[in-house]
Amino acid sequence: MRMRATARGWTAVWLVVLALVQAAAFLAVWRVAVHTGIGQWVDTVALTGNQIGQDRIDGPVDNLLNAMSVVSLLAATAVIGFIALIRGRIALAVTATLLIAGANVSTQLLKYGLNRPDYGLDPERAGVGNSLPSGHTAVAASVAVALMLVLPRKVRAAGAFIGAGYAAAAGVATLSAGWHRPSDAIAAYLVVGVWTALAGLVLLITQREQAQVAPGDAHRVAAVVLGVAGVLALIASGLALTWLIDLRDTGPDELGRRPLFIAYAGSAAGIAGTMAVVMALALTAVHRLVPRVQG
């Protein structure tokens, strides 16, 4: 198969852009969802809408979320590191571990460091304070992306789809269980996206000058499918929430079943769409970060 040297300069620029764009998106989500009345209202309505059909999904949702413990995170990290090591990729093993650790530690620091003003829209949870970003969602997303990085090229695309689906399900589950608002899950994905870009830069720095990549390893189709699916989900979410804003003068507890369901479903689409886009962006560069020929 034809091989060529990796375009390190352009790849570095792409990773820096990804980090900055996702960091800016995180700040925008935090600013709108936490520090504006309309943002808090939409989040609260979506969280109230989780009551529709909740008794039917409580079991699976609880099982999924309860499986995410410190022990399970350490076990998953060890498995991911082991996969990289048996492939002879020491730098990849270290970087994937740093990605998981950095994303989850920064998520907890942000959660306890950011403030949440009380606009009186969600009195039941006012005492809890800030919950953005979601720790459970960050665990699932960081493990999913790290696993995609360390998998061999032949199964990497499949791993990206499975990982994105798992992380999206975890984010929606936090909403379904009433543990987190939609913006909490979306913000967690963006934190993981920033750390993924930073991890890519580390891999690029540690990469040997004579490393080569096969153009066929680019996973372009998988990245496009994931990205387009994510964008379509985000558009659907935007349309649903735009319709909902017309009811912003009504309290969340006073809304009927239809607007509550639209808020919940629209937010779930936004959560899943964000994860799909984050994974698609990571997939676009992974073949350059983990080249077939290390040199």
Side-chain angles (χ1 to χ4, degrees), residues 4-9 11 15 89 91 200-213 285-295:
R4 58 183 171 81
T6 57
R8 295 168 59 127
T11 304
L15 293 172
R89 311 279 182 140
L201 287 171
V202 172
L203 286 173
L204 207 60
I205 292 171
T206 59
Q207 192 178 106
R208 296 179 182 178
E209 289 289 344
Q210 60 267 46
Q212 294 180 325
V213 60
V286 66
H287 67 293
R288 296 186 181 280
L289 307 177
V290 190
R292 187 186 303 189
V293 177
Q294 300 183 75

Side-chain angles (χ1 to χ4, degrees), residues 187-204:
Y189 295 140
L190 295 171
V191 170
V192 172
V194 171
W195 276 96
T196 301
L198 296 177
L201 287 171
V202 172
L203 286 173
L204 207 60

Side-chain angles (χ1 to χ4, degrees), residues 167-257:
V172 174
T174 64
L175 173 63
S176 300
W179 289 14
H180 280 284
R181 304 171 179 91
S183 60
D184 299 348
I186 291 173
Y189 295 140
L190 295 171
V191 170
V192 172
V194 171
W195 276 96
T196 301
L198 296 177
L201 287 171
V202 172
L203 286 173
L204 207 60
I205 292 171
T206 59
Q207 192 178 106
R208 296 179 182 178
E209 289 289 344
Q210 60 267 46
Q212 294 180 325
V213 60
D217 292 348
H219 307 293
R220 293 186 182 89
V221 174
V224 169
V225 170
L226 267 174
V228 170
V231 169
L232 290 176
L234 289 173
I235 292 173
S237 175
L239 292 174
L241 298 181
T242 298
W243 176 86
L244 191 69
I245 289 176
D246 292 336
L247 305 173
R248 59 185 177 275
D249 294 329
T250 306
D253 294 333
E254 300 172 2
L255 291 171
R257 184 180 180 88

Side-chain angles (χ1 to χ4, degrees), residues 45-71:
V45 173
L47 195 54
T48 304
N50 78 335
Q51 299 170 2
I52 300 174
Q54 189 177 36
D55 54 341
R56 299 180 181 179
I57 60 174
D58 262 348
V61 165
D62 288 343
N63 291 336
L64 176 61
L65 294 176
N66 290 331
M68 297 177 196
S69 62
V70 174
V71 174

